[in-house]
Amino acid sequence: MSTIINARSPYYIKVEPGSGTLSSASMSLYIYSGTFTTDKPTSATYTISKDVIGTNNYVIYEVTELIRDYLITEYGAYSIDGVWVEADITLTKTSGSETQNYDFLAFDGYGYFEDGVNPRTSTNPAVTKISSTATGTTAYKLIDSTQTFTKTVSVGDTITNTTDTTTTIVTGIDSDTQLAVRATNFIESGDSYTIADTGNYTPQYLQSNTKIYFKKGRDIVFPVFAEAEGTVAFTTGGDADVFWNQVDEFWNLYDVNWSNVLTPITIGDTNVSKDKIVYIRLTPTTDLNTGDVITISTTKSNYTQSVTITLEEVCEPKYDFLDVVFYNKFGALQIMPFHKKSMISMDSNSESYKRNLMDFVNDPTYNKEKHSVRQFQVTGKEKIQMNTGFIDESFNEVIKQLMLSEQVWVYDGTEVKPIILDTKSLQFKTSLNDKLINYTFDFSYAFNKVNDIR
């Protein structure tokens, strides 16, 4: 399992020597997309050097502002919603030196203040990931030729040498068979060990709502984290003439080779950054019904998760069904449906000047059809007000993430347009206080009505 960085929140790397006194540290930071093992650039993206402060025996790096420059989170065919981050650090000590390596997978997500430092929200209760025996002996390393560490271990996991009961943490994942560890002579060939997760997981279902509102004929799309290697199954009371599959990008369209909806899909994990978030797309939805259930349960050993998603049809013949698409807290695109009344308005603005109309050549006169006050640089921007319709109280969390999103779009069933959320203040409603919950939001289209793109 990759160690996840939610790049909209700070991520701190604390570097301290396994032994001795630290003088300074130099970090070569590699940020790249593609295949983890083969697409790492030959030169570091950034090189950052730091000296220790006072009597500290450590230095701190915060890397997310650098990472975000390489996260192309746009609605389109070339978006990059995940990047690899590798930090190769050389520690210079008063006597000698050592190296530490950290590998991460970064998304444009975030955590809340309540989540604490380096947040990564999860519900996974798994503890022990690996119980095995070391097959080699190297300082600051754990070697086990029987493992695939790149898929099972995260930086920060706890390693226990069960032969002598000592512990240390994973500081880097060198390969499938080798880990970098904090302690120098921690484990030797033949020693038994276990690796336990720190409890800081990324959930396999990358949305906070377990109910999905849909309109017959409109595709359903939701994001899943590939590293959980979950199995997605469907239970429907309708016809079987529905297809689904996993797609790497949110905007991928229907594929005639997709499996029948009644056949479970097992999410495949790869070492390609763009494949770490996959989107499950159901199409067409004309035969789906309220109460149909999607179950996501992992097949991965010691990664126990199960999520049940319930579908609820919205039957709204009067108003347009609008899908608002936004990046949620996990760094994945998500749909929030607005299926009640919507209204479009427009504001315009311009500059003006007063010009001289007098004609003194013939007689002192002027043309009464000419503009004495002339406008120029006339622009206009449309706005749209939308209503969610009656929704479940659990969608308050989704509304919160919508309001915190930096990029939002609206899809009317024909085309996608970028919008900006103008509503900046909201009182959250509950079924206890408000009985029925409906939210009204004001948006502006993120472009001028007159085409002025140059």
Side-chain angles (χ1 to χ4, degrees):
M1 294 294 292
S2 300
T3 298
I4 304 299
I5 291 179
N6 283 309
R8 283 188 61 189
S9 292
Y11 193 93
Y12 297 99
I13 303 173
K14 183 178 181 180
V15 180
E16 53 187 332
S19 62
T21 303
L22 181 66
S23 297
S24 62
S26 178
M27 178 174 70
S28 295
L29 189 67
Y30 299 83
I31 306 171
Y32 60 101
S33 58
T35 304
F36 172 73
T37 53
T38 59
D39 286 330
K40 177 183 174 182
T42 55
S43 300
T45 312
Y46 298 97
T47 300
I48 307 171
S49 298
K50 285 194 170 187
D51 295 327
V52 297
I53 298 175
T55 58
N56 292 341
N57 200 35
Y58 61 85
V59 297
I60 301 292
Y61 290 99
E62 200 287 294
V63 295
T64 54
E65 290 298 328
L66 303 177
I67 294 171
R68 292 200 74 197
D69 289 339
Y70 293 84
L71 282 166
I72 307 172
T73 51
E74 291 281 357
Y75 190 106
Y78 301 102
S79 298
I80 301 172
D81 56 14
V83 294
W84 296 112
V85 179
E86 181 174 327
D88 298 336
I89 304 174
T90 300
L91 289 77
T92 301
K93 302 184 284 189
T94 54
S95 177
S97 63
E98 66 179 79
T99 59
Q100 295 183 11
N101 305 96
Y102 299 83
D103 300 311
F104 307 98
L105 176 63
F107 298 122
D108 205 32
Y110 57 88
Y112 295 139
F113 174 84
E114 299 90 332
D115 296 329
V117 175
N118 296 353
R120 187 153 56 98
T121 303
S122 174
T123 58
N124 194 324
V127 179
T128 302
K129 292 180 174 180
I130 295 174
S131 180
S132 188
T133 302
T135 60
T137 304
T138 302
Y140 295 105
K141 304 294 180 183
L142 186 157
I143 299 173
D144 188 342
S145 60
T146 69
Q147 297 300 313
T148 54
F149 290 135
T150 57
K151 290 191 175 183
T152 56
V153 178
S154 299
V155 172
D157 285 350
T158 299
I159 308 175
T160 300
N161 185 330
T162 55
T163 300
D164 62 11
T165 69
T166 58
T167 62
T168 189
I169 67 168
V170 178
T171 59
I173 304 169
D174 299 338
S175 67
D176 275 343
T177 59
Q178 180 173 295
L179 297 177
V181 301
R182 180 164 291 174
T184 176
N185 297 314
F186 168 71
I187 196 164
E188 298 179 354
S189 180
D191 287 351
S192 298
Y193 71 94
T194 60
I195 299 180
D197 200 287
T198 59
N200 196 10
Y201 299 85
T202 292
Q204 60 177 346
Y205 172 58
L206 298 177
Q207 289 187 178
S208 298
N209 55 295
T210 55
K211 176 182 286 187
I212 292 180
Y213 294 99
F214 77 99
K215 179 182 179 181
K216 287 183 181 293
R218 188 74 64 86
D219 288 359
I220 295 173
V221 187
F222 58 88
V224 178
F225 185 44
E227 288 194 359
E229 296 179 359
T231 297
V232 187
F234 197 90
T235 303
T236 176
D239 296 332
D241 190 22
V242 183
F243 297 86
W244 72 350
N245 205 346
Q246 68 179 64
V247 291
D248 296 333
E249 293 88 18
F250 177 88
W251 46 87
N252 278 177
L253 301 178
Y254 172 72
D255 185 333
V256 294
N257 296 318
W258 284 6
S259 300
N260 185 282
V261 73
L262 299 179
T263 304
I265 301 172
T266 298
I267 304 300
D269 183 28
T270 70
N271 277 331
V272 180
S273 57
K274 72 179 182 65
D275 296 338
K276 291 299 183 176
I277 295 179
V278 298
Y279 294 89
I280 306 299
R281 180 180 288 271
L282 286 78
T283 184
T285 56
T286 51
D287 294 322
L288 299 182
N289 298 304
T290 295
D292 288 346
V293 171
I294 300 169
T295 302
I296 309 174
S297 57
T298 184
T299 59
K300 196 163 189 174
S301 177
N302 294 322
Y303 195 86
T304 306
Q305 286 192 45
S306 181
V307 179
T308 299
I309 304 166
T310 303
L311 303 186
E312 183 169 323
E313 181 193 355
V314 174
C315 183
E316 179 50 72
K318 185 176 181 180
Y319 297 109
D320 292 334
F321 192 95
L322 301 173
D323 285 332
V324 170
V325 183
F326 66 98
Y327 276 98
N328 64 21
K329 69 177 295 187
F330 303 108
L333 285 168
Q334 176 172 349
I335 294 173
M336 175 65 204
F338 286 72
H339 56 265
K340 282 297 183 181
K341 180 180 178 181
S342 62
M343 297 185 297
I344 294 179
S345 61
M346 191 174 80
D347 292 337
S348 66
N349 59 76
S350 64
E351 301 291 337
S352 64
Y353 65 93
K354 185 175 181 180
R355 60 177 180 168
N356 187 358
L357 301 182
M358 291 301 300
D359 180 3
F360 293 104
V361 175
N362 299 308
D363 286 312
T365 186
Y366 58 85
N367 187 336
K368 292 183 290 183
E369 284 73 39
K370 286 187 177 181
H371 292 77
S372 176
V373 177
R374 182 69 182 269
Q375 285 186 301
F376 68 103
Q377 293 184 351
V378 180
T379 61
K381 183 173 290 187
E382 287 185 329
K383 297 182 177 182
I384 182 168
Q385 184 181 82
M386 298 185 232
N387 285 270
T388 61
F390 298 134
I391 58 175
D392 189 83
E393 184 178 332
S394 63
F395 272 77
N396 281 349
E397 174 61 29
V398 179
I399 295 295
K400 184 187 301 181
Q401 294 176 31
L402 169 60
M403 294 187 69
L404 294 173
S405 181
E406 294 183 337
Q407 296 186 89
V408 187
W409 299 262
V410 61
Y411 175 61
D412 61 7
T414 303
E415 59 182 339
V416 175
K417 295 179 181 179
I419 55 176
I420 296 171
L421 179 59
D422 293 330
T423 300
K424 304 301 182 184
S425 179
L426 185 73
Q427 180 174 337
F428 289 105
K429 300 179 180 180
T430 66
S431 57
L432 177 63
N433 294 334
D434 304 282
K435 306 303 181 186
L436 298 175
I437 299 173
N438 171 78
Y439 288 106
T440 301
F441 285 97
D442 293 316
F443 297 88
S444 296
Y445 287 100
F447 52 85
N448 290 331
K449 189 61 177 177
V450 176
N451 186 350
D452 54 4
I453 305 299
R454 291 182 172 86

